[in-house]
Amino acid sequence: MQIQSLLTPGRTLCDIEGVSKKRVLEILANTIAQDIPAIDADDLFRRLIARERLGSTGIGHGIAIPHCRVENYDGVIGALITLNQPIDFDSIDSEPVDILFAMLVPENAHGEHLQNLAALAGALNDSEFRERLRGADSDAALYEIAISKD
């Protein structure tokens, strides 16, 4: 999986004011829906919240990978945001989160979903890559750094 296949510049936001987990998930849902009209922001927000209720998608090191299945779209979709201040996300290491990479997969995707999540988590586990993401000073710079990862 290449990050470039998941992201677009329109779904990459740098230095966002997140305030809370709920607000950040709402920002992600709205950002994706603005870029992909087939996806309803309210429905996506509900799906992301429902997934978080099953267990936090905070994977440690200040990273969260909110994810869910979506209807009406048959590709894998990503969105990346960095926050100007880390927020509590109930992460496995109890560290606040400042990098969120959302991933949406089609309703009928099964093995592909898990492979993509594992690949993304692996990429974000690279401390040098995380620091480069954190160092971005614009949406465009964040996008370029993200897609430069192998």
Side-chain angles (χ1 to χ4, degrees):
M1 176 211 70
Q2 290 193 350
I3 291 176
Q4 186 170 1
S5 67
L6 303 177
L7 273 185
T8 65
R11 295 193 309 265
T12 307
L13 302 174
C14 179
D15 203 31
I16 299 299
E17 187 170 340
V19 182
S20 69
K21 180 192 255 192
K22 187 175 177 182
R23 177 67 183 131
V24 168
L25 294 174
E26 183 180 37
I27 291 167
L28 283 166
N30 288 334
T31 299
I32 292 167
Q34 285 174 355
D35 198 50
I36 302 175
I39 295 180
D40 178 72
D42 292 335
D43 179 58
L44 178 54
F45 175 66
R46 283 191 293 275
R47 288 171 183 261
L48 290 170
I49 290 287
R51 171 55 190 87
E52 286 298 320
R53 285 188 186 122
L54 297 175
S56 176
T57 57
I59 63 169
H61 305 290
I63 306 292
I65 306 177
H67 57 279
C68 65
R69 297 181 187 280
V70 291
E71 299 172 346
N72 304 328
Y73 200 81
D74 39 343
V76 179
I77 302 164
L80 172 63
I81 63 174
T82 58
L83 304 177
N84 61 7
Q85 293 291 320
I87 59 166
D88 180 39
F89 216 82
D90 301 317
S91 298
I92 59 171
D93 63 356
S94 300
E95 293 295 317
V97 163
D98 64 343
I99 299 173
L100 296 100
F101 198 120
M103 183 183 298
L104 314 181
V105 297
E107 197 70 54
N108 59 357
H110 299 292
E112 176 189 4
H113 177 205
L114 296 177
Q115 290 171 345
N116 283 331
L117 278 175
L120 186 57
L124 292 168
N125 201 32
D126 177 345
S127 61
E128 182 181 306
F129 182 54
R130 287 193 311 268
E131 290 314 308
R132 287 191 358 245
L133 292 172
R134 287 185 173 112
D137 60 2
S138 69
D139 296 351
L142 181 60
Y143 176 75
E144 288 301 321
I145 292 166
I147 65 169
S148 72
K149 181 69 176 165
D150 307 330

